Amino acid sequence: MTKFIFATGGVVSSLGKGIASSAIACLLDAHGFKVTLQKFDPYLNVDPGTMSPFQHGEVYVTDDGAETDLDLGHYERFTGVSMSQANNVTTGSVYSSVINKERRGDYLGATVQIIPHITDEIKSRIFRLADRSPYDVIIAEIGGTVGDIESLPFLEALRQFPYDIGRENCLFIHLVLVPYIKAAGEVKTKPAQHSVKALREIGIQPDILICRTEKPYDDSIRSKIAMFCNVEPEAVFQGVDMPDIYEIPLLFREQRLDEVIIRKLKMPRQPANFSHWEKLIQRIKAATQDVKIAVVGKYIHLQDAYKSIYEAIRHGGIENDVRVEIERIDSEHLETGNVGEILGGVDGVLIPGGFGQRGIEGKILAAQFARERKIPYFGICLGMQIAAIEFARNVCGLEGANSTEFDETTPHPIIDLLATQKMITGMGGTMRLGGYTCRMHPDSNAARAYGSEQVTERHRHRYEFNNKYRNIFEERGMRIAGTTLDNKLVEIVEAVDHPWYLGCQFHPEFRSRPVKAHPLFREFIAQAKRQRLGEAAATRREQQAVG
Ligand code: GLN
């Protein structure tokens, strides 16, 4: 029998429900339980694929080609479990299937309503996930904050859930903020009390509270929260801000959150093994050498726009025992500033995916700088296309080369719309999405990194490298290092006369894990480390020569 954990949040948004849910999943996984997670998003978009990073942050792509919430990235990184379309449900997708059913006549004779039709559809999404595999636990996280109009149908569905499967099989975990008020010199529990009150008005009594707090508080506060919120004192946990999100499973473990969950859900006790996670944290803490990576994009001011990229870079750092300092560089600044000054001290340049023309020329300057100065370069999706445009213009002499995404009348469309995209008119879920297999040249940095000549990676794009330019690229020193199995689409390019200059049309960042960095990120950071050591050695030589 699958057990269900429902995670809700109150007081404010951005409490880290996704990370808390992932950390819990990580602990239960270490106890040997088969866990998966599901995210419910209360917006009307069918998926986040059409939303701007200003609205939503990164769009995370699964193997089966779903465009999903970035929390699914945390779920995969903390558990290693593969997510799919079924793991992300939005209000838009729920309403759209209910309305389709109504049009088909499935409810003939009935008035279709939020209760029971929408709530039944929500519950059926949870049951459908449970039917896919014999999970011991499903953790469902409800986006938004208790009290929002949007999330009411989800909370109502959860209120009904215990009546369908038994209260003993459900656990409600509520995250709240316990703020520290400087002027009073103390933490305050009232917002948490009000949030739990709002949840109870809907009919949900939380079993466990996770209190997000900047400053640790003492036991008297815990007892107070427990009493006012009607929760056992042993079930009130502190979610203190941590310097590193990967420490959160161990923070919860120290407080025995896993044991309380197992007891409350009457799950069997089995031997647990946290050693892989403990080793990870030890390794992170032991690193002393620094490496500086420039991430050049147009959404660098947003916390979440390149989430998986930043995480994957860190994973590469962990596996190379270095601390990575990520320098976020606004590509538009490169267009007006001094590229040499801005990128001068970096050990590697990464250009992530992106859409639209803004900031493109700055990215091209960054790619040129990395190529000419022999600084390790990693171009992902748009970053690969940028590398190709730069090479076409500055090495192949193809003046005005561009992608037709940015210049429809370019004389040299190095990057052009995929043939399969030409007839497509709708925007939602219509890109080339999800896992496709790539075959690599045996003598390529990519194949060496993977230790294999074939790999399946996740995609999200409409444009591709124009095959007409393959020959000139090969002749001038940009190798077509990877293609689709039918050799029709270019998947990887590599500059030959360079230690490590690689662009890939896919998104390796989605498959990187803290306990196992993605091979391309591992190699990119290894090269950056080499670059840093080389630079240091050169400076020493210069100093000795002067001395
Ligand atoms: N805009 C480019 C395309 O659609 C790149 C997409 C991306 O970087 N994800 O092909």
Side-chain angles (χ1 to χ4, degrees), residues 289 291 320 347 376 499-500 523-536:
Q289 196 194 321
V291 154
N320 283 287
D347 307 308
W500 211 87
E523 276 315 296
F524 173 55
I525 302 297
Q527 291 295 330
K529 184 177 172 182
R530 216 160 288 161
Q531 167 84 13
R532 166 66 67 107
L533 292 174
E535 292 273 311

Side-chain angles (χ1 to χ4, degrees), residues 17 42 45 68 98-99 127 138 147 174 204 220 365 409 423 441 464 467 483 516:
K17 271 194 311 263
N45 304 60
T68 72
V98 169
I99 292 169
F127 288 125
I138 292 181
H174 191 52
I204 296 172
S220 67
L365 291 171
T409 58
M423 305 301 285
H441 195 293
E464 60 165 323
N467 287 328
T483 65
K516 184 131 196 52

Side-chain angles (χ1 to χ4, degrees), residues 80 120 126 167 171 228 283 310 412 417 457 475 482 498 533 540:
D120 279 354
I126 308 176
R167 182 68 176 91
L171 192 77
F228 282 100
R283 196 164 184 186
Y310 295 146
H412 299 293
L417 201 59
E457 291 281 5
E475 282 161 23
H498 193 289
L533 292 174
R540 262 197 313 277

Side-chain angles (χ1 to χ4, degrees), residues 352-356 380-385 403 405-406 415-418 431 459-464 505 507 509:
F355 298 83
I380 293 177
C381 204
L382 176 67
M384 178 204 105
Q385 300 176 354
S403 162
E405 181 181 1
F406 317 126
I415 307 295
D416 199 4
L417 201 59
L418 283 155
M431 282 188 244
H459 295 70
R460 182 174 187 247
H461 65 120
R462 289 189 205 281
Y463 292 81
E464 60 165 323
Q505 189 56 78
H507 289 270
E509 70 273 24

